[in-house]
Every structure is written in structure tokens, then in C-alpha cells.
Amino acid sequence: MKHIHSAKNPQVKHWKKLLTKKERDKSGTFIVEGYHLVEEALKANKILELIVGDQVELPQKWNYGEVPVTTVTSEIIKELSDTEAPQGVFAICEQEKVLASNQVGKTYLLIDSVQDPGNLGTMIRTADAAGIDAVIVGNGSVDTYNQKVLRSAQGSHFHLPVLKGNLREWVEKFRSEDIPLYGTALENGHIYTEIEPTDRFALIVGNEGSGVSKELLEETNKNLYIPIFGKSESLNVAVATGILLYYLRG
Amino acid sequence: MKHIHSAKNPQVKHWKKLLTKKERDKSGTFIVEGYHLVEEALKANKILELIVGDQVELPQKWNYGEVPVTTVTSEIIKELSDTEAPQGVFAICEQEKVLASNQVGKTYLLIDSVQDPGNLGTMIRTADAAGIDAVIVGNGSVDTYNQKVLRSAQGSHFHLPVLKGNLREWVEKFRSEDIPLYGTALENGHIYTEIEPTDRFALIVGNEGSGVSKELLEETNKNLYIPIFGKSESLNVAVATGILLYYLRG
């Protein structure tokens, strides 16, 4: 077991930089923090490296087998942490790049330019709960591996494939595989309950203010909307995603 | 038009204290910030008093009639603001205490001990969108007039009655009026889709971690749950509220 005691160690500097999108993209990895997320990563066999405070005891039930463990000082824990009361446990994980051949699915959630990390994380968690096969996050969204996104998703990143990608390319794929593609629009669409629930679909939801981009809405089979019965202008995008996914999957 | 230039003015001190629950409860009022929320309050005729930065121009279309307006310095604006980039517009409004006789409804959302202000605000916004007649927030929840709750609700506080109250007393009312009362449970309940959509119901949703209190669940007609098809442990409470309200109202 390796021990690092200096916050100036280059390894520590690299881990700390994983709090930025730039370093995550460069390395193809990301960092998760806290018992719950690390445990979910462990269960899913997704950990490249464990980082543990030298004062921290890992749960007996954790079976981390061959995963390399580095212990660090509480000063380094504070450097790496994105929270006010760090639990002193981190994991470095590999970003998912493509669907594995056993992950080819029938139901997809596509996310176009969602900006709020809490919303994006909640949407990933909701897709997981609804049993969706994969989430595709378009390039204009907040980074999928942002610490707040990871926290809000509560481990769902390790439960289903969550890929970054070019949504236009995915649209081609759905068309070639005859998977019906539904956009979401505030107007000029169909009330969602007009659609029959189905076991194959891809749903696109979009930005908090402007919705799904016009270019994507022109590529869909149908565009759906959720009626507003009261006086609010709209629904929160994560709430709308939940209503639509649970309806569509039937 | 009154002008205040000293942040030590007792009026300013009182307004500032309205950022705390204690002062809000004592005065029976609350403060809202920013063009959007103030405009919604204005449209709903709920403003006791307008506070405007002396550098700020109010939109021409605002018709504030007899509402007293006080102008203040930008120093005072900063004192009162809960945001990083204050817009310099505030309104003092009266808390809603009871349902007016013309507000007696058929559909209710009851909220038991929800702690996160973003969740509570989103739930109020969702109830508004779903056309629910009133929201009752139990005493164990974060304060309904907390600034983050108000922001997340995006003005819905002014669209439908949002009352604080003792949920047990409301349960009695629903029983006497034959309004079916549905709790939400993680287990030992009915899948929500077993219930027929209906034009009269009261739904209770609960705390992010522990759900609706056991005492309340024993008082309901039925307790509902949303199935988890994937591997997440649960849904976010605001997302769950959206799925259930849109399903139940049909």
C-alpha cells in the first residue's frame, strides 16, 4: 500500500485537477468522493485506484481485491474534497466511451444542453430508476463527471451507461435501428399521453430555458409536450423527464 | 415615494431579518427578490410594499397602483439580497394563513418534512403545473418562504395557495369531505398505476431520506409507490411528486 504525505506530490496534483473538466477529458478518468459513491463504483467494478485518508477505516464488507490503494494525509483529503465535511474516501474511475456490445439497448434518454448539475444528476438517477438502457449526454451540457452531477446521481453513473456524445450521430443510429425518437417541445407537439407506451424508444430532453435545439426537434419522429394545467410557465426539466420516462416505458 | 439611504435604518434591519424564518413567522410576512418573482407577486395582487434600488428602473408595464414604494441605495440592496448579482427589486408580501372560501379545492399536495429548499420549491412549481388546488407544507419541512424555496418555485407561491399547517388536521378534513388520501411509501403499498386517475385526491409525499412519517401513512386510504426498474435506490422526491400528480389527475 502506497502512502503519500505531501500535498505537492505530482500524483496529488493530478487528482486535484480531476475536479476540472479539462483534466478529466485529458486523462479519460474522473474522481468520485464519499462512501456511497465509492461503494457503488466498487460494486460495479469500475475503480482504477482507491484513495483513503490515513485516519479512515474502510468498511469490512468492501472487497477491493486487486485495486491499488493509496493512503494520504488529512491535509491531502482536504485538497481533493469538494465537500465541507470530507469522508476521506475517493476513487479514480475510467470514463465510459462507447456502449459495450452487451449494452446495446432499446430505451435511451438523450440530454441536450442541460446546464444545472443538480438537474443533470437527477435526470441520470431518474433514467436509472425507470430502467432506461443508456443515457447520452450531448456536448453542450454540463460535464457528466462534475462533482455535483455525480452527487445528485447518487451512483447511477455506475448502474447504466452514461455516455457523452454527439446527439446528431445517435439520431442516425436510432433511425437505422427503427427506434422511435421523441423530442420534447413546449408547443407544436403532441400531448405525451397520445403516444402508446412502448418497449423501444429514445427521448430527447433539453436545456432549462430554451428546451431541445430546433435542429434536433426536426429529426424526431414526434415531439411531445406535458400540458401545464395551472399557471406555472413550465416544469423543471428533471421532473418532466421523470413524467415522460415513466409514462413511455408503461 | 419614500427614500432610505442608511443601512442602519430600522426598516432596513427588519427587511433584512425577513431572510430568517423567525422574523417571517413573527411578522406574518416574507420578502421576494428579483424581477420575475416580484412581477408574479404583483400580478397576483399580493404585495404589501415594494423596495427598489435608486438606480433601478421598473418595467413600464408594471402597474403597482397603491402599493407603497421605497427607494434604497445600492448598499442597502446588497444587505437585503440573497444572490450574488442582485437585480435591486424586492417585495414584501403577506403569508397565506388559511384557504379563502373561494379556494376550497378537490386536489391537494401535502408535504411532510421535506428538507431541501430546491426540492420543496420544485414541488410547489410542479403542483402548480399539474393544476393542483392547494399545497400544504407540514411543520417539519424547510420554511416555505425561504429564499431558495421561493426561487425554485419560480412564482408558483403566487399562483396557488401554499399553506403551512399540521398535516394531521388536514387528514381529518379530507376524511370528512370524502377526498381520497394517498400516502407514498417505498414498500407495502400499491403500485401507483393500480389507482384510477380521479378529480378528487390528496397526495402526501415525504422526507428525502425517510419518506412520509409512519403515523401519517396509517391514516391514508391507500399508500402508493413508484416501482424502481433499474438499480437506483429511489427517485428524487420532486421527480416522484411529478410522476404521481400527473398520473393521478389523469
Side-chain angles (χ1 to χ4, degrees):
Chain A
M1 202 178 286
K2 204 162 87 181
H3 179 69
I4 298 180
H5 55 83
S6 163
K8 288 178 187 155
N9 183 296
Q11 186 69 297
V12 173
K13 286 186 179 168
H14 165 66
W15 290 333
K16 193 179 171 185
K17 279 197 206 149
L18 289 178
L19 297 175
T20 67
K21 180 175 187 302
K22 191 175 162 196
E23 185 81 358
R24 290 192 295 264
D25 284 350
K26 205 171 104 189
S27 63
T29 65
F30 62 104
I31 185 167
V32 299
E33 173 171 4
Y35 286 104
H36 178 68
L37 290 183
V38 172
E39 184 167 314
E40 294 298 308
L42 199 56
K43 282 196 241 164
N45 204 12
K46 300 271 187 180
I47 300 185
L48 298 174
E49 191 172 2
L50 262 173
I51 305 160
V52 184
D54 47 19
Q55 311 293 320
V56 170
E57 271 194 55
L58 294 183
Q60 294 281 349
K61 63 174 175 176
W62 281 16
N63 177 9
Y64 44 92
E66 305 287 298
V67 175
V69 180
T70 303
T71 56
V72 298
T73 60
S74 50
E75 185 205 355
I76 294 175
I77 293 294
K78 274 184 214 136
E79 285 285 313
L80 299 181
S81 180
D82 189 50
T83 65
E84 306 229 333
Q87 297 177 334
V89 182
F90 301 83
I92 308 297
C93 304
E94 201 169 352
Q95 296 191 14
E96 230 161 336
K97 296 290 185 192
V98 289
L99 284 186
S101 56
N102 63 349
Q103 290 176 329
V104 173
K106 297 181 191 171
T107 53
Y108 294 85
L109 176 66
L110 277 67
I111 297 176
D112 180 28
S113 297
V114 164
Q115 297 304 310
D116 181 85
N119 282 342
L120 181 57
T122 303
M123 290 158 82
I124 292 169
R125 177 180 171 197
T126 304
D128 180 10
I132 298 305
D133 292 322
V135 175
I136 319 295
V137 183
N139 299 321
S141 292
V142 57
D143 188 46
T144 320
Y145 301 110
N146 170 300
Q147 299 300 296
K148 280 190 199 161
V149 175
L150 289 163
R151 276 200 296 278
S152 303
Q154 298 195 1
S156 290
H157 286 78
F158 304 112
H159 299 160
L160 79 171
V162 178
L163 306 178
K164 304 191 209 182
N166 179 326
L167 299 184
R168 297 295 286 268
E169 290 172 13
W170 282 86
V171 166
E172 293 305 317
K173 173 184 150 72
F174 300 135
R175 195 171 286 146
S176 72
E177 294 179 11
D178 256 339
I179 292 180
L181 177 64
Y182 301 122
T184 47
L186 281 178
E187 42 197 22
N188 293 328
H190 300 259
I191 295 187
Y192 69 105
T193 48
E194 284 177 25
I195 306 294
E196 288 293 315
T198 159
D199 61 353
R200 290 163 64 86
F201 65 85
L203 175 73
I204 317 180
V205 294
N207 179 268
E208 288 88 348
S210 55
V212 176
S213 74
K214 218 176 138 188
E215 294 70 33
L216 281 168
L217 288 181
E218 283 166 5
E219 303 285 340
T220 59
N221 294 79
K222 276 181 180 158
N223 294 319
L224 312 181
Y225 71 90
I226 301 174
I228 301 293
F229 298 104
K231 294 182 206 151
S232 71
E233 282 168 23
S234 62
L235 283 158
N236 166 276
V237 66
V239 173
T241 299
I243 294 169
L244 292 172
L245 289 182
Y246 267 84
Y247 176 80
L248 286 172
R249 79 171 319 285
Chain B
M1 201 178 289
K2 205 163 84 181
H3 179 68
I4 298 181
H5 55 83
S6 164
K8 288 179 185 154
N9 182 297
Q11 187 69 296
V12 174
K13 286 186 180 169
H14 165 66
W15 289 334
K16 194 178 169 185
K17 279 197 206 150
L18 288 178
L19 296 176
T20 67
K21 179 174 188 303
K22 191 176 163 192
E23 185 82 357
R24 291 192 294 265
D25 285 350
K26 206 172 106 187
S27 64
T29 65
F30 63 104
I31 184 166
V32 298
E33 173 171 5
Y35 285 105
H36 178 67
L37 290 183
V38 172
E39 184 167 313
E40 294 298 308
L42 199 58
K43 283 195 240 165
N45 205 12
K46 300 272 188 180
I47 300 184
L48 299 174
E49 190 171 3
L50 262 174
I51 304 159
V52 183
D54 47 19
Q55 311 293 322
V56 171
E57 271 195 55
L58 294 183
Q60 295 280 350
K61 63 174 176 177
W62 281 15
N63 177 9
Y64 44 91
E66 306 287 299
V67 175
V69 180
T70 303
T71 56
V72 298
T73 60
S74 50
E75 185 205 356
I76 294 175
I77 292 293
K78 275 184 213 139
E79 285 285 312
L80 299 181
S81 180
D82 187 51
T83 65
E84 305 230 333
Q87 297 177 332
V89 182
F90 302 83
I92 309 297
C93 305
E94 201 169 354
Q95 295 191 17
E96 230 161 335
K97 296 292 185 191
V98 289
L99 283 186
S101 56
N102 63 349
Q103 290 176 330
V104 174
K106 296 182 195 171
T107 53
Y108 294 86
L109 175 66
L110 278 68
I111 296 175
D112 180 29
S113 298
V114 165
Q115 297 305 310
D116 180 86
N119 282 342
L120 181 58
T122 304
M123 290 158 82
I124 293 168
R125 177 180 171 197
T126 304
D128 179 9
I132 299 304
D133 291 324
V135 175
I136 319 295
V137 182
N139 299 321
S141 292
V142 57
D143 189 44
T144 320
Y145 301 110
N146 168 300
Q147 299 301 297
K148 280 190 200 161
V149 176
L150 290 163
R151 276 201 296 277
S152 303
Q154 297 195 1
S156 289
H157 286 78
F158 304 113
H159 299 162
L160 79 171
V162 179
L163 306 178
K164 303 191 211 183
N166 179 327
L167 299 184
R168 298 293 285 268
E169 290 172 12
W170 282 87
V171 167
E172 293 304 317
K173 172 183 150 74
F174 300 134
R175 195 170 287 146
S176 73
E177 292 179 13
D178 256 339
I179 292 181
L181 177 64
Y182 300 122
T184 47
L186 279 179
E187 41 196 25
N188 293 327
H190 300 258
I191 294 187
Y192 70 105
T193 48
E194 283 178 26
I195 306 293
E196 288 293 315
T198 159
D199 61 353
R200 291 163 62 86
F201 66 85
L203 175 73
I204 316 181
V205 293
N207 179 269
E208 288 89 347
S210 56
V212 176
S213 74
K214 217 175 140 188
E215 294 70 32
L216 281 168
L217 288 182
E218 283 166 4
E219 304 283 339
T220 58
N221 294 78
K222 274 181 182 158
N223 294 319
L224 312 181
Y225 72 89
I226 300 174
I228 301 294
F229 299 104
K231 293 182 205 148
S232 73
E233 283 168 21
S234 62
L235 284 159
N236 166 277
V237 65
V239 172
T241 300
I243 294 169
L244 292 172
L245 289 182
Y246 267 84
Y247 176 80
L248 286 172
R249 78 171 318 287

PDB file of all heavy atoms in Angstrom, chain B residues 147-173:
ATOM      1  N   GLN B 147     -35.635  31.802   0.890  1.00  0.00           N
ATOM      2  CA  GLN B 147     -35.323  32.411  -0.421  1.00  0.00           C
ATOM      3  C   GLN B 147     -35.074  31.373  -1.523  1.00  0.00           C
ATOM      4  O   GLN B 147     -35.471  31.567  -2.678  1.00  0.00           O
ATOM      5  CB  GLN B 147     -34.100  33.335  -0.298  1.00  0.00           C
ATOM      6  CG  GLN B 147     -34.298  34.503   0.671  1.00  0.00           C
ATOM      7  CD  GLN B 147     -35.458  35.398   0.270  1.00  0.00           C
ATOM      8  OE1 GLN B 147     -35.444  36.011  -0.781  1.00  0.00           O
ATOM      9  NE2 GLN B 147     -36.494  35.439   1.088  1.00  0.00           N
ATOM     10  N   LYS B 148     -34.422  30.276  -1.173  1.00  0.00           N
ATOM     11  CA  LYS B 148     -34.167  29.254  -2.192  1.00  0.00           C
ATOM     12  C   LYS B 148     -35.441  28.533  -2.600  1.00  0.00           C
ATOM     13  O   LYS B 148     -35.597  28.136  -3.747  1.00  0.00           O
ATOM     14  CB  LYS B 148     -33.169  28.210  -1.666  1.00  0.00           C
ATOM     15  CG  LYS B 148     -31.735  28.666  -1.747  1.00  0.00           C
ATOM     16  CD  LYS B 148     -30.787  27.505  -1.434  1.00  0.00           C
ATOM     17  CE  LYS B 148     -29.429  28.046  -1.048  1.00  0.00           C
ATOM     18  NZ  LYS B 148     -28.605  27.063  -0.323  1.00  0.00           N
ATOM     19  N   VAL B 149     -36.340  28.355  -1.640  1.00  0.00           N
ATOM     20  CA  VAL B 149     -37.634  27.738  -1.973  1.00  0.00           C
ATOM     21  C   VAL B 149     -38.382  28.650  -2.940  1.00  0.00           C
ATOM     22  O   VAL B 149     -38.905  28.202  -3.976  1.00  0.00           O
ATOM     23  CB  VAL B 149     -38.475  27.483  -0.704  1.00  0.00           C
ATOM     24  CG1 VAL B 149     -39.848  26.937  -1.069  1.00  0.00           C
ATOM     25  CG2 VAL B 149     -37.753  26.524   0.244  1.00  0.00           C
ATOM     26  N   LEU B 150     -38.399  29.942  -2.627  1.00  0.00           N
ATOM     27  CA  LEU B 150     -39.100  30.907  -3.484  1.00  0.00           C
ATOM     28  C   LEU B 150     -38.505  30.918  -4.892  1.00  0.00           C
ATOM     29  O   LEU B 150     -39.238  30.922  -5.885  1.00  0.00           O
ATOM     30  CB  LEU B 150     -39.029  32.306  -2.869  1.00  0.00           C
ATOM     31  CG  LEU B 150     -39.864  32.515  -1.584  1.00  0.00           C
ATOM     32  CD1 LEU B 150     -39.397  33.755  -0.838  1.00  0.00           C
ATOM     33  CD2 LEU B 150     -41.354  32.627  -1.925  1.00  0.00           C
ATOM     34  N   ARG B 151     -37.169  30.892  -4.980  1.00  0.00           N
ATOM     35  CA  ARG B 151     -36.537  30.904  -6.308  1.00  0.00           C
ATOM     36  C   ARG B 151     -36.863  29.644  -7.097  1.00  0.00           C
ATOM     37  O   ARG B 151     -37.212  29.719  -8.281  1.00  0.00           O
ATOM     38  CB  ARG B 151     -35.015  31.039  -6.170  1.00  0.00           C
ATOM     39  CG  ARG B 151     -34.531  32.459  -6.006  1.00  0.00           C
ATOM     40  CD  ARG B 151     -33.056  32.607  -6.386  1.00  0.00           C
ATOM     41  NE  ARG B 151     -32.183  31.835  -5.511  1.00  0.00           N
ATOM     42  CZ  ARG B 151     -31.755  32.243  -4.317  1.00  0.00           C
ATOM     43  NH1 ARG B 151     -32.101  33.427  -3.851  1.00  0.00           N
ATOM     44  NH2 ARG B 151     -30.959  31.484  -3.596  1.00  0.00           N
ATOM     45  N   SER B 152     -36.760  28.484  -6.446  1.00  0.00           N
ATOM     46  CA  SER B 152     -37.033  27.230  -7.167  1.00  0.00           C
ATOM     47  C   SER B 152     -38.487  27.135  -7.598  1.00  0.00           C
ATOM     48  O   SER B 152     -38.795  26.497  -8.593  1.00  0.00           O
ATOM     49  CB  SER B 152     -36.727  26.011  -6.295  1.00  0.00           C
ATOM     50  OG  SER B 152     -35.412  26.024  -5.863  1.00  0.00           O
ATOM     51  N   ALA B 153     -39.372  27.730  -6.817  1.00  0.00           N
ATOM     52  CA  ALA B 153     -40.801  27.648  -7.161  1.00  0.00           C
ATOM     53  C   ALA B 153     -41.151  28.613  -8.300  1.00  0.00           C
ATOM     54  O   ALA B 153     -42.234  28.507  -8.889  1.00  0.00           O
ATOM     55  CB  ALA B 153     -41.660  27.927  -5.937  1.00  0.00           C
ATOM     56  N   GLN B 154     -40.264  29.547  -8.618  1.00  0.00           N
ATOM     57  CA  GLN B 154     -40.423  30.442  -9.770  1.00  0.00           C
ATOM     58  C   GLN B 154     -41.763  31.179  -9.819  1.00  0.00           C
ATOM     59  O   GLN B 154     -42.340  31.363 -10.890  1.00  0.00           O
ATOM     60  CB  GLN B 154     -40.201  29.661 -11.073  1.00  0.00           C
ATOM     61  CG  GLN B 154     -38.779  29.106 -11.166  1.00  0.00           C
ATOM     62  CD  GLN B 154     -38.416  28.652 -12.564  1.00  0.00           C
ATOM     63  OE1 GLN B 154     -39.216  28.759 -13.486  1.00  0.00           O
ATOM     64  NE2 GLN B 154     -37.203  28.149 -12.736  1.00  0.00           N
ATOM     65  N   GLY B 155     -42.283  31.539  -8.658  1.00  0.00           N
ATOM     66  CA  GLY B 155     -43.511  32.341  -8.639  1.00  0.00           C
ATOM     67  C   GLY B 155     -44.770  31.554  -8.343  1.00  0.00           C
ATOM     68  O   GLY B 155     -45.852  32.133  -8.189  1.00  0.00           O
ATOM     69  N   SER B 156     -44.658  30.240  -8.245  1.00  0.00           N
ATOM     70  CA  SER B 156     -45.865  29.438  -8.019  1.00  0.00           C
ATOM     71  C   SER B 156     -46.521  29.729  -6.670  1.00  0.00           C
ATOM     72  O   SER B 156     -47.724  29.501  -6.513  1.00  0.00           O
ATOM     73  CB  SER B 156     -45.543  27.937  -8.150  1.00  0.00           C
ATOM     74  OG  SER B 156     -45.288  27.623  -9.505  1.00  0.00           O
ATOM     75  N   HIS B 157     -45.761  30.247  -5.708  1.00  0.00           N
ATOM     76  CA  HIS B 157     -46.376  30.664  -4.441  1.00  0.00           C
ATOM     77  C   HIS B 157     -47.529  31.646  -4.683  1.00  0.00           C
ATOM     78  O   HIS B 157     -48.425  31.762  -3.855  1.00  0.00           O
ATOM     79  CB  HIS B 157     -45.357  31.371  -3.544  1.00  0.00           C
ATOM     80  CG  HIS B 157     -44.348  30.483  -2.888  1.00  0.00           C
ATOM     81  ND1 HIS B 157     -43.251  29.985  -3.550  1.00  0.00           N
ATOM     82  CD2 HIS B 157     -44.262  30.008  -1.611  1.00  0.00           C
ATOM     83  CE1 HIS B 157     -42.529  29.247  -2.709  1.00  0.00           C
ATOM     84  NE2 HIS B 157     -43.113  29.240  -1.531  1.00  0.00           N
ATOM     85  N   PHE B 158     -47.470  32.371  -5.783  1.00  0.00           N
ATOM     86  CA  PHE B 158     -48.497  33.374  -6.066  1.00  0.00           C
ATOM     87  C   PHE B 158     -49.581  32.851  -6.997  1.00  0.00           C
ATOM     88  O   PHE B 158     -50.485  33.572  -7.405  1.00  0.00           O
ATOM     89  CB  PHE B 158     -47.835  34.627  -6.661  1.00  0.00           C
ATOM     90  CG  PHE B 158     -46.765  35.194  -5.772  1.00  0.00           C
ATOM     91  CD1 PHE B 158     -45.435  35.164  -6.150  1.00  0.00           C
ATOM     92  CD2 PHE B 158     -47.092  35.730  -4.532  1.00  0.00           C
ATOM     93  CE1 PHE B 158     -44.447  35.672  -5.318  1.00  0.00           C
ATOM     94  CE2 PHE B 158     -46.103  36.235  -3.690  1.00  0.00           C
ATOM     95  CZ  PHE B 158     -44.778  36.202  -4.084  1.00  0.00           C
ATOM     96  N   HIS B 159     -49.473  31.577  -7.376  1.00  0.00           N
ATOM     97  CA  HIS B 159     -50.433  31.005  -8.323  1.00  0.00           C
ATOM     98  C   HIS B 159     -51.452  30.097  -7.657  1.00  0.00           C
ATOM     99  O   HIS B 159     -52.521  29.867  -8.193  1.00  0.00           O
ATOM    100  CB  HIS B 159     -49.689  30.186  -9.391  1.00  0.00           C
ATOM    101  CG  HIS B 159     -48.734  30.989 -10.209  1.00  0.00           C
ATOM    102  ND1 HIS B 159     -47.737  30.420 -10.940  1.00  0.00           N
ATOM    103  CD2 HIS B 159     -48.642  32.322 -10.418  1.00  0.00           C
ATOM    104  CE1 HIS B 159     -47.037  31.366 -11.563  1.00  0.00           C
ATOM    105  NE2 HIS B 159     -47.567  32.525 -11.262  1.00  0.00           N
ATOM    106  N   LEU B 160     -51.050  29.508  -6.553  1.00  0.00           N
ATOM    107  CA  LEU B 160     -51.988  28.626  -5.844  1.00  0.00           C
ATOM    108  C   LEU B 160     -51.723  28.771  -4.357  1.00  0.00           C
ATOM    109  O   LEU B 160     -50.636  29.202  -3.964  1.00  0.00           O
ATOM    110  CB  LEU B 160     -51.838  27.167  -6.303  1.00  0.00           C
ATOM    111  CG  LEU B 160     -50.692  26.305  -5.782  1.00  0.00           C
ATOM    112  CD1 LEU B 160     -50.905  24.859  -6.208  1.00  0.00           C
ATOM    113  CD2 LEU B 160     -49.343  26.793  -6.249  1.00  0.00           C
ATOM    114  N   PRO B 161     -52.707  28.450  -3.504  1.00  0.00           N
ATOM    115  CA  PRO B 161     -52.464  28.578  -2.068  1.00  0.00           C
ATOM    116  C   PRO B 161     -51.385  27.600  -1.623  1.00  0.00           C
ATOM    117  O   PRO B 161     -51.455  26.407  -1.956  1.00  0.00           O
ATOM    118  CB  PRO B 161     -53.811  28.198  -1.437  1.00  0.00           C
ATOM    119  CG  PRO B 161     -54.809  28.204  -2.546  1.00  0.00           C
ATOM    120  CD  PRO B 161     -54.066  28.010  -3.820  1.00  0.00           C
ATOM    121  N   VAL B 162     -50.377  28.111  -0.924  1.00  0.00           N
ATOM    122  CA  VAL B 162     -49.318  27.283  -0.341  1.00  0.00           C
ATOM    123  C   VAL B 162     -49.355  27.580   1.152  1.00  0.00           C
ATOM    124  O   VAL B 162     -48.960  28.657   1.585  1.00  0.00           O
ATOM    125  CB  VAL B 162     -47.943  27.637  -0.935  1.00  0.00           C
ATOM    126  CG1 VAL B 162     -46.840  26.787  -0.288  1.00  0.00           C
ATOM    127  CG2 VAL B 162     -47.932  27.451  -2.451  1.00  0.00           C
ATOM    128  N   LEU B 163     -49.895  26.652   1.925  1.00  0.00           N
ATOM    129  CA  LEU B 163     -50.127  26.902   3.344  1.00  0.00           C
ATOM    130  C   LEU B 163     -49.203  26.050   4.189  1.00  0.00           C
ATOM    131  O   LEU B 163     -48.897  24.915   3.849  1.00  0.00           O
ATOM    132  CB  LEU B 163     -51.573  26.550   3.712  1.00  0.00           C
ATOM    133  CG  LEU B 163     -52.661  27.205   2.885  1.00  0.00           C
ATOM    134  CD1 LEU B 163     -54.022  26.706   3.350  1.00  0.00           C
ATOM    135  CD2 LEU B 163     -52.588  28.723   3.010  1.00  0.00           C
ATOM    136  N   LYS B 164     -48.779  26.612   5.319  1.00  0.00           N
ATOM    137  CA  LYS B 164     -48.104  25.784   6.315  1.00  0.00           C
ATOM    138  C   LYS B 164     -49.183  25.201   7.218  1.00  0.00           C
ATOM    139  O   LYS B 164     -50.193  25.857   7.485  1.00  0.00           O
ATOM    140  CB  LYS B 164     -47.173  26.627   7.170  1.00  0.00           C
ATOM    141  CG  LYS B 164     -46.129  27.398   6.400  1.00  0.00           C
ATOM    142  CD  LYS B 164     -45.112  27.982   7.377  1.00  0.00           C
ATOM    143  CE  LYS B 164     -44.527  29.276   6.881  1.00  0.00           C
ATOM    144  NZ  LYS B 164     -43.483  29.795   7.794  1.00  0.00           N
ATOM    145  N   GLY B 165     -48.965  24.031   7.738  1.00  0.00           N
ATOM    146  CA  GLY B 165     -50.007  23.511   8.610  1.00  0.00           C
ATOM    147  C   GLY B 165     -49.663  22.199   9.261  1.00  0.00           C
ATOM    148  O   GLY B 165     -48.632  21.587   8.981  1.00  0.00           O
ATOM    149  N   ASN B 166     -50.562  21.779  10.127  1.00  0.00           N
ATOM    150  CA  ASN B 166     -50.460  20.495  10.792  1.00  0.00           C
ATOM    151  C   ASN B 166     -51.133  19.461   9.898  1.00  0.00           C
ATOM    152  O   ASN B 166     -52.357  19.486   9.690  1.00  0.00           O
ATOM    153  CB  ASN B 166     -51.166  20.586  12.147  1.00  0.00           C
ATOM    154  CG  ASN B 166     -51.119  19.272  12.889  1.00  0.00           C
ATOM    155  OD1 ASN B 166     -51.152  18.194  12.284  1.00  0.00           O
ATOM    156  ND2 ASN B 166     -51.041  19.358  14.207  1.00  0.00           N
ATOM    157  N   LEU B 167     -50.360  18.553   9.331  1.00  0.00           N
ATOM    158  CA  LEU B 167     -50.917  17.634   8.327  1.00  0.00           C
ATOM    159  C   LEU B 167     -52.000  16.734   8.924  1.00  0.00           C
ATOM    160  O   LEU B 167     -52.957  16.381   8.234  1.00  0.00           O
ATOM    161  CB  LEU B 167     -49.791  16.805   7.703  1.00  0.00           C
ATOM    162  CG  LEU B 167     -48.703  17.602   6.960  1.00  0.00           C
ATOM    163  CD1 LEU B 167     -47.704  16.672   6.292  1.00  0.00           C
ATOM    164  CD2 LEU B 167     -49.301  18.548   5.919  1.00  0.00           C
ATOM    165  N   ARG B 168     -51.856  16.391  10.205  1.00  0.00           N
ATOM    166  CA  ARG B 168     -52.877  15.535  10.831  1.00  0.00           C
ATOM    167  C   ARG B 168     -54.255  16.191  10.786  1.00  0.00           C
ATOM    168  O   ARG B 168     -55.271  15.530  10.596  1.00  0.00           O
ATOM    169  CB  ARG B 168     -52.512  15.226  12.296  1.00  0.00           C
ATOM    170  CG  ARG B 168     -51.200  14.467  12.475  1.00  0.00           C
ATOM    171  CD  ARG B 168     -51.288  13.060  11.909  1.00  0.00           C
ATOM    172  NE  ARG B 168     -52.048  12.152  12.737  1.00  0.00           N
ATOM    173  CZ  ARG B 168     -51.549  11.367  13.675  1.00  0.00           C
ATOM    174  NH1 ARG B 168     -50.256  11.406  13.929  1.00  0.00           N
ATOM    175  NH2 ARG B 168     -52.314  10.563  14.368  1.00  0.00           N
ATOM    176  N   GLU B 169     -54.287  17.507  10.998  1.00  0.00           N
ATOM    177  CA  GLU B 169     -55.580  18.211  10.957  1.00  0.00           C
ATOM    178  C   GLU B 169     -56.175  18.187   9.553  1.00  0.00           C
ATOM    179  O   GLU B 169     -57.386  18.049   9.378  1.00  0.00           O
ATOM    180  CB  GLU B 169     -55.408  19.660  11.426  1.00  0.00           C
ATOM    181  CG  GLU B 169     -55.107  19.750  12.908  1.00  0.00           C
ATOM    182  CD  GLU B 169     -54.748  21.170  13.342  1.00  0.00           C
ATOM    183  OE1 GLU B 169     -54.948  22.109  12.545  1.00  0.00           O
ATOM    184  OE2 GLU B 169     -54.239  21.313  14.478  1.00  0.00           O
ATOM    185  N   TRP B 170     -55.317  18.290   8.545  1.00  0.00           N
ATOM    186  CA  TRP B 170     -55.810  18.247   7.165  1.00  0.00           C
ATOM    187  C   TRP B 170     -56.352  16.863   6.821  1.00  0.00           C
ATOM    188  O   TRP B 170     -57.322  16.733   6.083  1.00  0.00           O
ATOM    189  CB  TRP B 170     -54.704  18.662   6.200  1.00  0.00           C
ATOM    190  CG  TRP B 170     -54.540  20.152   6.181  1.00  0.00           C
ATOM    191  CD1 TRP B 170     -53.770  20.898   7.021  1.00  0.00           C
ATOM    192  CD2 TRP B 170     -55.220  21.076   5.328  1.00  0.00           C
ATOM    193  NE1 TRP B 170     -53.908  22.229   6.727  1.00  0.00           N
ATOM    194  CE2 TRP B 170     -54.784  22.370   5.691  1.00  0.00           C
ATOM    195  CE3 TRP B 170     -56.135  20.949   4.285  1.00  0.00           C
ATOM    196  CZ2 TRP B 170     -55.248  23.521   5.055  1.00  0.00           C
ATOM    197  CZ3 TRP B 170     -56.583  22.097   3.636  1.00  0.00           C
ATOM    198  CH2 TRP B 170     -56.150  23.355   4.024  1.00  0.00           C
ATOM    199  N   VAL B 171     -55.710  15.837   7.374  1.00  0.00           N
ATOM    200  CA  VAL B 171     -56.180  14.475   7.134  1.00  0.00           C
ATOM    201  C   VAL B 171     -57.635  14.337   7.602  1.00  0.00           C
ATOM    202  O   VAL B 171     -58.480  13.758   6.904  1.00  0.00           O
ATOM    203  CB  VAL B 171     -55.250  13.465   7.855  1.00  0.00           C
ATOM    204  CG1 VAL B 171     -55.879  12.081   7.904  1.00  0.00           C
ATOM    205  CG2 VAL B 171     -53.888  13.426   7.183  1.00  0.00           C
ATOM    206  N   GLU B 172     -57.938  14.927   8.748  1.00  0.00           N
ATOM    207  CA  GLU B 172     -59.316  14.914   9.267  1.00  0.00           C
ATOM    208  C   GLU B 172     -60.280  15.564   8.272  1.00  0.00           C
ATOM    209  O   GLU B 172     -61.366  15.068   7.996  1.00  0.00           O
ATOM    210  CB  GLU B 172     -59.402  15.692  10.584  1.00  0.00           C
ATOM    211  CG  GLU B 172     -58.660  15.059  11.737  1.00  0.00           C
ATOM    212  CD  GLU B 172     -59.115  13.632  11.983  1.00  0.00           C
ATOM    213  OE1 GLU B 172     -60.338  13.386  11.942  1.00  0.00           O
ATOM    214  OE2 GLU B 172     -58.243  12.757  12.170  1.00  0.00           O
ATOM    215  N   LYS B 173     -59.849  16.691   7.751  1.00  0.00           N
ATOM    216  CA  LYS B 173     -60.675  17.446   6.800  1.00  0.00           C
ATOM    217  C   LYS B 173     -60.977  16.598   5.560  1.00  0.00           C
ATOM    218  O   LYS B 173     -62.123  16.526   5.103  1.00  0.00           O
ATOM    219  CB  LYS B 173     -59.924  18.720   6.418  1.00  0.00           C
ATOM    220  CG  LYS B 173     -60.562  19.535   5.294  1.00  0.00           C
ATOM    221  CD  LYS B 173     -59.668  20.737   4.956  1.00  0.00           C
ATOM    222  CE  LYS B 173     -59.799  21.138   3.493  1.00  0.00           C
ATOM    223  NZ  LYS B 173     -61.061  21.825   3.175  1.00  0.00           N
TER     224      LYS B 173
END
